[in-house]
């Protein structure tokens, strides 16, 4: 399909329009803001990964190899807080989402460009507060800030970290509002709801969670600070408060936050699977509405985190049933991805390998989640390494695989350069193998009763812990490799064509990298989503590219 952007867009690329530092720091171009976010979350990902590496090195020995018990608790907390709040939650929406939403809509920018820039500055301020608190005294509450641990027993700096997470919530809300308004108001002529890429359906569902759930977390953290400063009983029973109230409020946000992390990854996988099978997504409408269903049901299942916290048995049964219910739309997605792959001309390039890894790891994570949704087995497994493994199979194995799939898939569009395909495939294989070696032994550890968050453990668990630590070293290599070859490709990579994968989305109908205004001629959509027949027949494609009259 010929580009509609004209031959002069190379000189007008968003990357080179104005290369001064000031122009980047004050930009309202969604593409540049996406790259600012990408640099930021990469730095936080490296920081969180260093914490994970030290944890795994420490756990090689049953008595602990390198850290004191107090330092281990602080390192464990640092890893969790940085990874969850500063990488996993923003990750795909603020990077790939920011870059792609206007391009996929056929628009020039998001609905509120200045708000988009403000959201990045809020995120940077939030990260600075979190890092300050973690490195000026540390914290040992875990990433959940449970009371009374975070109010009465911690020796660390709770308030700066809580303030940072509080501030990051406003960044998330701003991003969510921007995406929702943009998807409603800025669609190109002919781009109806059922012609939207599934990536936009996933980001729309994610944005709804951002806007509706994040204020609950913000209020909860505000109440925590209010109790600390003014000794008003909210969560502290000594002051007339209720510590279980904190758990209810925290998980009312934090379980939907799981879908904030994974739904955008599902959108990425839908795009990649369709492109590299050269087929429309099987059951498009089911996949689209499953994203909305996951977002809606996700607000109703927070209680399964509290089965052993003394909640009502009848409430626990209801939450257990709802937790099983949320697996249905997730299973629809997996089934429909496999249906798309069936009979397709599958190309095993790096994006597809990462997407296939996502499907496998997400399936394992989802199935093991059913054990934690069951009342009887959850009593045995809660607070063990089984929960750690389940969470990481969804969030790290799933979401990070999807993030890398998206980076490799849209890298030519973002930079105008191709990455070295052989190294991309190698990194994808290393990630899948290293991840399973790291976290599958933890399912066995949890089943056998090893509690999480402990700095020491019985000697009988050492072999499985050593296997897990060995897998972490392979996983580290899988993360370092893309950082190296993506950097190399910026300077030495082959120039990309406008549509190197022969994909169908509007983002592939402009130059690589795009011009500042995204499209020289506003696009008009006349075909359905993932219509490869239009792509394969130039006459049809040309009609689809004609300017709107």
């Amino acid at each position: 399909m010929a580009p509609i952007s004209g031959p002069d867009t190379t000189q007008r690329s968003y990357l080179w329009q104005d290369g001064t530092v000031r122009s980047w720091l004050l930009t309202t171009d969604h593409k540049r803001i996406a790259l600012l976010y990408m640099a930021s979350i990469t730095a936080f990902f490296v920081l969180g990964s260093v914490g994970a590496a030290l944890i795994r090195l420490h756990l090689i020995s049953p008595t602990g190899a390198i850290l004191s018990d107090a330092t281990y608790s602080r390192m464990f907390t640092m890893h969790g807080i940085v990874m969850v709040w500063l990488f996993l939650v923003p990750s795909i929406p603020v990077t790939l989402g920011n870059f792609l939403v206007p391009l996929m809509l056929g628009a020039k920018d998001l609905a509120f460009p200045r708000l988009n820039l403000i959201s990045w500055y809020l995120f940077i301020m939030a990260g600075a507060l979190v890092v300050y608190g973690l490195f000026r005294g540390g914290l040992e509450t875990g990433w959940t800030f449970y009371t009374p641990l975070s109010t009465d027993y911690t020796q660390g700096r709770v308030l700066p970290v809580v303030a940072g997470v509080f501030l990051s919530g406003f960044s998330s809300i701003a991003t969510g509002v921007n995406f929702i308004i943009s998807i409603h108001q800025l669609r190109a002529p002919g781009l109806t709801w059922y012609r939207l890429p599934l990536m936009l359906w996933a980001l729309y569902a994610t944005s709804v969670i951002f806007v509706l759930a994040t204020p609950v977390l913000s209020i909860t953290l505000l109440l925590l600070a209010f109790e600390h400063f003014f000794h008003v009983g909210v969560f502290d029973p000594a002051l007339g408060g209720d510590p279980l109230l904190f758990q209810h409020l925290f998980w009312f946000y934090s379980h939907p936050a799981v879908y904030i992390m994974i739904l955008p990854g599902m959108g990425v996988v839908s795009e990649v699977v369709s492109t590299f099978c050269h087929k429309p997504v099987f059951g498009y409408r089911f996949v689209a509405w499953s994203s909305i269903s996951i977002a809606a049901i996700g607000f109703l299942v927070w209680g399964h985190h509290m089965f052993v916290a003394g909640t009502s048995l009848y409430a626990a049964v209801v939450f257990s049933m709802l937790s099983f219910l949320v697996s249905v739309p997730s299973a629809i997605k997996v089934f429909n991805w496999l249906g798309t792959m069936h009979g397709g001309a599958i190309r095993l390039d790096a994006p597809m390998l990462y997407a296939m890894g996502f499907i496998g790891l997400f399936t394992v994570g989802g199935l093991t989640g059913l054990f934690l949704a069951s009342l009887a087995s959850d009593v045995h497994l809660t607070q063990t390494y089984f929960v750690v493994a389940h969470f990481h199979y969804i969030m790290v194995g799933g979401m990070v695989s999807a993030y890398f799939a998206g980076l490799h898939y849209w890298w030519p569009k973002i930079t105008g350069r191709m990455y070295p395909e052989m190294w991309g495939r190698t990194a994808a294989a290393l990630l899948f193998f290293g991840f399973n070696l790291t976290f599958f032994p933890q399912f066995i550890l949890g089943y056998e009763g090893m509690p999480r968050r402990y700095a020491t453990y019985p000697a009988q668990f050492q072999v499985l812990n050593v296997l897990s630590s060995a897998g972490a070293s392979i996983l580290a290599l899988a993360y370092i490799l893309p950082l190296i070859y993506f950097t190399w490709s910026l300077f030495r990579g082959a120039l990309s064509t406008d549509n190197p994968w022969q994909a169908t989305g509007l983002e592939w109908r402009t130059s690589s990298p795009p011009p500042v205004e995204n499209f020289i001629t506003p696009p008009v959509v006349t075909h359905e989503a993932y219509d490869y027949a239009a792509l394969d027949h130039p006459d049809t494609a040309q009609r689809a590219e004609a300017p709107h009259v």
Side-chain angles (χ1 to χ4, degrees):
M1 184 183 295
I4 62 174
S5 49
D8 62 332
T9 55
T10 303
Q11 289 76 24
R12 306 179 68 250
S13 160
Y14 79 98
L15 286 172
W16 313 116
Q17 182 74 0
D18 183 350
T20 64
V21 173
R22 175 185 173 85
S23 72
W24 279 84
L25 295 180
L26 298 180
T27 184
T28 56
D29 186 339
H30 68 99
K31 301 180 289 298
R32 285 191 166 194
I33 294 172
L35 296 190
L36 292 174
Y37 265 119
M38 192 177 294
S40 306
I41 71 164
T42 299
F44 291 127
F45 179 77
V46 170
L47 177 61
S49 297
V50 169
L54 292 175
I55 290 168
R56 289 313 324 164
L57 285 173
H58 178 79
L59 292 176
I60 289 176
S61 169
T63 57
I66 59 174
L67 305 173
S68 67
D69 290 354
T71 304
Y72 176 87
S73 294
R74 288 179 169 83
M75 194 60 61
F76 197 100
T77 299
M78 185 272 281
H79 166 69
I81 289 175
V82 170
M83 281 301 203
V84 170
W85 303 115
L86 301 180
F87 176 72
L88 290 172
V89 169
S91 62
I92 294 177
V94 301
T95 55
L96 298 177
N98 249 323
F99 192 93
L100 294 168
V101 167
L103 289 167
M104 287 182 163
L105 292 171
K108 292 184 177 181
D109 209 316
L110 290 170
F112 306 111
R114 290 183 179 86
L115 182 63
N116 197 20
L117 179 61
I118 291 171
S119 73
W120 177 71
Y121 276 105
L122 287 173
F123 179 73
I124 292 300
M125 293 167 61
L129 281 170
V130 169
V131 171
Y132 169 80
L134 292 175
F135 283 90
R136 291 298 298 270
L139 197 62
E140 59 280 296
T141 63
W143 70 274
T144 57
F145 305 111
Y146 269 9
T147 59
L149 183 60
S150 61
T151 52
D152 293 342
Y153 299 106
T154 181
Q155 302 298 315
R157 293 180 176 266
V158 174
L159 291 180
V161 179
V162 166
V165 175
F166 175 81
L167 201 58
S168 72
F170 285 92
S171 174
S172 299
I173 293 171
T175 299
V177 169
N178 230 339
F179 286 178
I180 290 171
I181 301 301
S182 298
I183 293 171
H184 273 279
Q185 298 295 325
L186 302 183
R187 300 194 305 274
L191 187 60
T192 62
W193 280 94
Y194 289 125
R195 287 177 174 175
L196 287 176
L198 290 166
M199 177 74 167
L200 290 184
W201 279 92
L203 288 172
Y204 186 87
T206 303
S207 299
V208 170
I209 302 174
F210 270 145
V211 172
L212 296 182
T214 308
V216 178
L217 174 70
S218 300
I219 292 170
T220 305
L221 297 178
L222 191 62
L223 289 172
L224 187 68
F226 190 77
E227 181 177 86
H228 178 85
F229 280 116
F230 301 105
H231 304 288
V232 176
V234 182
F235 306 120
D236 187 350
L239 299 174
D242 184 357
L244 282 184
L245 175 62
F246 180 91
Q247 293 188 40
H248 278 291
L249 293 173
F250 179 86
W251 287 114
F252 182 81
Y253 161 81
S254 292
H255 196 83
V258 170
Y259 304 116
I260 288 174
M261 303 176 209
I262 203 66
L263 272 171
M266 293 174 166
V268 170
V269 170
S270 295
E271 301 297 318
V272 171
V273 167
S274 175
T275 296
F276 287 89
C277 295
H278 207 68
K279 283 180 60 181
V281 175
F282 177 74
Y284 167 92
R285 296 196 179 194
F286 282 94
V287 178
W289 282 103
S290 67
S291 294
I292 306 300
S293 301
I294 289 171
I297 301 171
F299 281 97
L300 306 176
V301 301
W302 79 91
H304 74 229
H305 294 273
M306 302 174 61
F307 284 162
V308 298
T311 55
S312 160
L313 176 61
Y314 300 105
V317 170
V318 172
F319 280 121
S320 177
M321 294 174 62
L322 289 170
S323 299
F324 277 95
L325 181 62
V326 79
S327 66
V328 175
S330 300
I332 287 173
K333 287 184 180 293
V334 173
F335 173 80
N336 285 27
W337 292 327
L338 296 178
T340 305
M341 294 166 65
H342 178 69
I346 302 175
R347 294 165 49 195
L348 296 179
D349 290 335
M352 187 62 179
L353 291 178
Y354 278 111
M356 293 171 69
F358 170 93
I359 295 172
L361 299 175
F362 173 75
T363 300
V364 172
L367 290 174
T368 53
L370 300 179
F371 291 92
L372 300 174
S374 176
L375 293 174
S377 56
D378 183 75
V379 171
H380 171 64
L381 296 173
T382 192
Q383 296 300 329
T384 70
Y385 262 83
F386 191 96
V387 178
V388 175
H390 158 72
F391 181 83
H392 283 79
Y393 262 84
I394 297 288
M395 293 298 96
V396 181
M399 202 293 298
V400 175
S401 292
Y403 181 60
F404 276 115
L407 275 181
H408 286 77
Y409 181 57
W410 282 292
W411 187 257
K413 182 59 58 179
I414 294 171
T415 67
R417 299 275 184 172
M418 297 298 295
Y419 60 88
E421 184 60 42
M422 184 273 289
W423 285 111
R425 294 175 183 175
T426 301
L430 286 173
L431 189 149
F432 187 79
F433 177 74
F435 181 87
N436 280 289
L437 184 59
T438 301
F439 290 103
F440 195 85
Q442 295 180 17
F443 282 126
I444 304 172
L445 287 170
Y447 174 77
E448 293 183 350
M450 179 175 169
R452 59 177 174 168
R453 297 176 176 155
Y454 278 46
T456 58
Y457 56 87
Q460 69 196 65
F461 298 135
Q462 184 174 14
V463 172
L464 291 171
N465 272 291
V466 170
L467 282 175
S468 186
S469 296
S473 65
I474 299 173
L475 197 57
L477 179 60
Y479 292 150
I480 292 170
L481 269 179
L483 186 63
I484 294 172
Y485 63 69
F486 277 147
T487 304
W488 176 89
S489 76
L490 289 174
F491 305 98
R492 304 292 298 274
L495 293 176
S496 169
T497 60
D498 293 340
N499 190 359
W501 312 121
Q502 293 301 295
T504 60
L506 289 180
E507 74 271 23
W508 301 107
R509 289 169 53 182
T510 187
S511 62
S512 299
V516 174
E517 59 271 39
N518 292 343
F519 300 92
I520 303 301
T521 304
V524 176
V525 179
T526 60
H527 53 274
E528 303 304 313
Y530 311 108
D531 186 354
Y532 290 93
L535 185 71
D536 295 334
H537 295 85
D539 292 341
T540 306
Q542 188 61 40
R543 288 196 298 273
E545 293 170 356
H548 182 58
V549 178

